[in-house]
Amino acid sequence: MIHSRTLRVITLFGLAASAAMTHHAALAQPDASEVYQRPNLPLRPAHTYSIVARDPASGQLGAAVQSHWFSVGADVIWAQPGVGAVATQSFIEVSYGPLGLAMMESGNTAPQTLTSLLAKDEHKNVRQIGMIDAKGNTAVHTGELAITAHCHLVGEDFTVQANLMEKDTVCAAMAAAFTANANEDLAGRMMAALQAAQQEGGDIRGKQSAAMLVVEGEKGTPVWQGRLVDLRVEDNADPISELSRLLHVSRTYSKMTEGDDFMTLGKIDEALAAYATAESMMPDNHEAIFWHAATLAAVDRVEESLPLFKKAFALHPAWKTLVPRLPASELLPDDPKIINRILAVK
């Protein structure tokens, strides 16, 4: 994946990033397309297939991508909680991402946003962009000079777009897979779309990197709370399979975090259930096992914790070193008899 690195690009991208990441700056710029000035643009490719989508039930928004280029996710996919999602590719103009989000945040629909940005782009004939806003409005553009095979399709709550593919049937395969997996969450549906694209032949150059981004549907959600899935495979012989593996790991750790949140609220039974679910999702993950055990011991259910401590110690002996340190942080009882009992399990 290649993108422009001229001084003009750096200057514009810095302006775009500020607009996208600072709410007040974005709101002070009612028409972000007014700053979109790109004369003498070097034409450099970011060829790929991607999807932008929305889950109508949860309001979640997301984007996913794969390419035969290093670190495709860094510039191609963009999303903001309660605002929208963007994929910008082909002969790439990165600023369609942050500027598109800034315009949608200020009240423009996805079609209005894309139309406005394209109107100021003298190289729109080489661009490929997909956009979706928080209400499910979609917009997509493929310039006539995008490298074939190229395609795009718009469906209910999604767009798929691709260029430099082996076959122009990639988009139809992606759309069919996304639609057929309606029982999955948004991340699962987008993963199915990526897998279908690859099965259809994918990028004619092969495979190298992939990425997925999913955000909350509620506008104004802080980034640190609103980014539900943020995964990148930067350089891998089978990036789609690796992205799928990472998505499973991400879901496991989300369950562990859910357990931590329940513990903070004093909801012990709910916390234990969340830890147990995480443990079942990745039975050999000693982290999930250990904290499940520590939670049981902390609430005076030491007998139940011992088999789990035993398993965690067997998988990762260093947990034994940690156990005596945890009472000082009030994560285990400050009772030498209990600590010694835990350490004595074999």
Side-chain angles (χ1 to χ4, degrees):
M1 208 266 319
I2 310 174
H3 55 273
S4 306
R5 296 293 183 191
T6 63
L7 179 60
R8 282 194 180 93
V9 175
I10 294 170
T11 302
L12 178 59
F13 183 71
L15 179 60
S18 283
M21 292 186 292
T22 306
H23 285 178
H24 295 299
L27 292 174
Q29 182 179 310
D31 184 0
S33 68
E34 291 177 0
V35 302
Y36 191 86
Q37 301 295 327
R38 291 300 305 276
N40 303 317
L41 176 71
L43 302 181
R44 296 189 176 181
H47 304 305
T48 185
Y49 55 82
S50 68
I51 179 170
V52 296
R54 170 181 173 268
D55 178 67
S58 66
Q60 292 176 4
L61 297 152
V65 61
Q66 196 280 154
S67 177
H68 186 271
W69 197 263
F70 176 72
S71 190
V72 67
D75 290 337
V76 170
I77 58 173
W78 300 78
Q80 185 174 332
V83 173
V86 180
T88 173
Q89 58 199 48
S90 186
F91 292 93
I92 190 172
E93 173 49 74
V94 176
S95 66
Y96 275 94
L99 286 180
L101 293 177
M103 290 185 68
M104 287 188 280
E105 184 181 27
S106 67
N108 293 282
T109 66
Q112 290 169 339
T113 296
L114 184 54
T115 297
S116 183
L117 291 176
L118 287 171
K120 299 295 180 72
D121 186 355
E122 62 182 288
H123 300 289
K124 56 181 173 289
N125 58 353
V126 298
R127 310 290 188 221
Q128 188 170 55
I129 306 104
M131 291 186 178
I132 189 166
D133 62 38
K135 294 183 178 180
N137 300 304
T138 54
V140 65
H141 165 81
T142 300
E144 62 268 24
L145 296 186
I147 299 176
T148 56
H150 58 66
C151 58
H152 68 244
L153 282 175
V154 175
E156 187 174 356
D157 290 306
F158 73 91
T159 76
V160 292
Q161 42 281 325
N163 64 88
L164 197 61
M165 296 294 103
E166 181 177 332
K167 296 180 286 188
D168 64 6
T169 52
V170 161
C171 290
M174 294 179 75
F178 184 82
T179 302
N181 285 272
N183 59 320
E184 296 278 347
D185 62 9
L186 184 60
R189 297 181 74 187
M190 292 196 300
M191 181 61 67
L194 293 185
Q195 291 167 337
Q198 195 55 52
Q199 290 167 3
E200 195 66 15
D203 189 326
I204 198 169
R205 301 166 300 170
K207 303 173 287 184
Q208 186 170 1
S209 68
M212 180 180 292
L213 182 58
V214 178
V215 298
E216 286 280 13
E218 186 174 348
K219 189 174 182 179
T221 303
V223 171
W224 59 91
Q225 294 176 346
R227 190 161 288 189
L228 303 176
V229 177
D230 188 2
L231 301 174
R232 294 183 186 177
V233 179
E234 308 290 33
D235 184 29
N236 191 282
D238 192 359
I240 299 297
S241 294
E242 178 63 5
L243 188 66
S244 179
R245 185 190 72 82
L246 290 177
L247 180 59
H248 180 71
V249 174
S250 174
R251 285 172 167 159
T252 300
Y253 275 80
S254 291
K255 270 295 172 184
M256 292 172 63
T257 299
E258 184 180 304
D260 294 341
D261 291 342
F262 280 132
M263 282 296 293
T264 300
L265 296 172
K267 297 182 177 181
I268 306 303
D269 289 340
E270 290 90 339
L272 290 171
Y275 290 138
T277 299
E279 185 184 341
S280 69
M281 292 169 71
M282 294 183 67
D284 294 327
N285 185 312
H286 52 80
E287 180 103 24
I289 298 167
F290 179 82
W291 291 114
H292 185 189
T295 301
L296 286 167
V299 296
D300 200 28
R301 292 165 64 171
V302 178
E303 197 66 35
E304 293 176 63
S305 76
L306 297 180
L308 295 175
F309 277 120
K310 179 179 179 180
K311 186 175 180 181
F313 295 160
L315 290 169
H316 187 67
W319 287 120
K320 274 197 169 186
T321 303
L322 182 63
V323 165
R325 302 176 185 178
L326 293 181
S329 297
E330 299 182 351
L331 294 174
L332 281 176
D334 190 9
D335 185 334
K337 290 182 180 179
I338 292 176
I339 300 302
N340 290 335
R341 190 177 179 194
I342 291 170
L343 294 176
V345 297
K346 295 181 180 178

